Amino acid sequence: MTGERAEQRLLIRLALGPDGQVAPDIHGKVPGRGAWIGVPAEELEAARAKGKLAGLLKRAFKVSELTVPDDLVDRIRFGLEKATLDRLGLEARSSNLLAGAEKVDAAARSGAVALLLHASDASDDGASKRDQSWRVGLEEEGSGRKGTRLPVDRDRLSAALGRSNSVHVAITDAKAAERVKHHLDRWLYFIGCSNARGDAKADRRTHAAPDGN
């Protein structure tokens, strides 16, 4: 643990149960005491394995005993993935999302795309073409702006959206894009993807900050 912490939007809440068990609170809504952490999975697992995380959380929660589960990192990773894909599914059902190369290209070139996403197994050529259409629509040719490559393949993405062969996805509503990014940015940052920070750099300061509950 380095003593550094991510910026506020990337923090993840841990909740302390009545049995003294620490658990991830991905949506930040579990009642009771909580602590916020902001480090990638690799650093968090190292701190857990060395017992340092337990010490930090005891101070944050102001308790003498608690249990940090061995699979805490995996549970956070799974929770962030599920929250992101669930959010994409909701936006698809709300007609705020387009999938398919032709539809995405048309919307991107018209300037109607707020967020562009690619499955992990999208071809470089296909992603590049969609990226170019997006830059044209935003009048940012030459900027190098690219869509975000997701850490899931087309099959996993398609299942989340309820649509077949979803390789490229466009979010067409600005507020919907922010809702997706709320979960997506934390997920990418936590698993260590370079996509996580976008244009803003995240300064990591690894500690557990209580939330006052």
Side-chain angles (χ1 to χ4, degrees):
M1 306 273 276
T2 63
E4 295 184 351
R5 176 178 157 197
E7 58 184 280
Q8 184 69 32
R9 69 186 179 87
L10 299 176
L11 300 185
I12 297 164
R13 187 176 187 263
L14 299 179
L16 183 64
D19 59 354
Q21 183 92 352
V22 175
D25 177 18
I26 300 301
H27 297 282
K29 295 181 179 179
V30 173
R33 285 177 288 182
W36 297 87
I37 58 170
V39 291
E42 184 176 352
E43 290 182 29
L44 188 64
E45 175 56 25
R48 185 208 62 78
K50 293 176 181 178
K52 189 172 183 179
L53 178 60
L56 289 171
L57 291 174
K58 286 177 183 178
R59 290 195 291 274
F61 288 123
K62 298 180 179 179
V63 297
S64 58
E65 296 295 332
L66 53 72
T67 301
V68 178
D70 292 345
D71 64 347
L72 178 64
V73 169
D74 288 338
R75 291 169 65 183
I76 294 173
R77 184 186 294 111
F78 173 78
L80 293 171
E81 175 180 331
K82 184 177 186 301
T84 304
L85 295 180
D86 285 352
R87 185 74 254 171
L88 285 170
L90 287 171
E91 299 304 344
R93 292 191 289 276
S94 298
S95 301
N96 293 324
L97 181 152
L98 297 173
E102 292 184 3
K103 290 181 179 179
V104 170
D105 269 340
R109 286 185 172 276
S110 70
V113 173
L115 180 64
L116 178 62
L117 306 171
H118 308 298
S120 62
D121 57 345
S123 69
D124 290 341
D125 181 61
S128 179
K129 288 178 179 177
R130 309 299 83 80
D131 293 342
Q132 175 62 19
S133 295
W134 196 28
R135 290 193 293 270
V136 169
L138 294 174
E139 299 183 353
E140 293 184 5
E141 292 180 80
S143 69
R145 181 188 287 268
K146 296 180 179 180
T148 298
R149 195 173 283 266
L150 297 168
V152 291
D153 64 16
R154 68 187 68 193
D155 291 338
R156 185 75 180 88
L157 181 58
S158 297
L161 300 180
R163 304 180 184 189
S164 61
N165 199 33
S166 297
V167 182
H168 308 285
V169 171
I171 308 296
T172 56
D173 178 81
K175 290 184 178 180
E178 287 302 313
R179 290 191 292 266
V180 170
K181 282 176 62 62
H182 170 69
H183 298 298
L184 176 60
D185 288 351
R186 291 189 303 157
W187 179 25
L188 295 178
Y189 177 73
F190 186 72
I191 65 176
C193 284
S194 58
N195 286 332
R197 302 172 189 181
D199 295 330
K201 293 183 179 179
D203 296 322
R204 298 186 310 196
R205 192 178 51 205
T206 309
H207 69 231
D211 61 7
N213 289 331

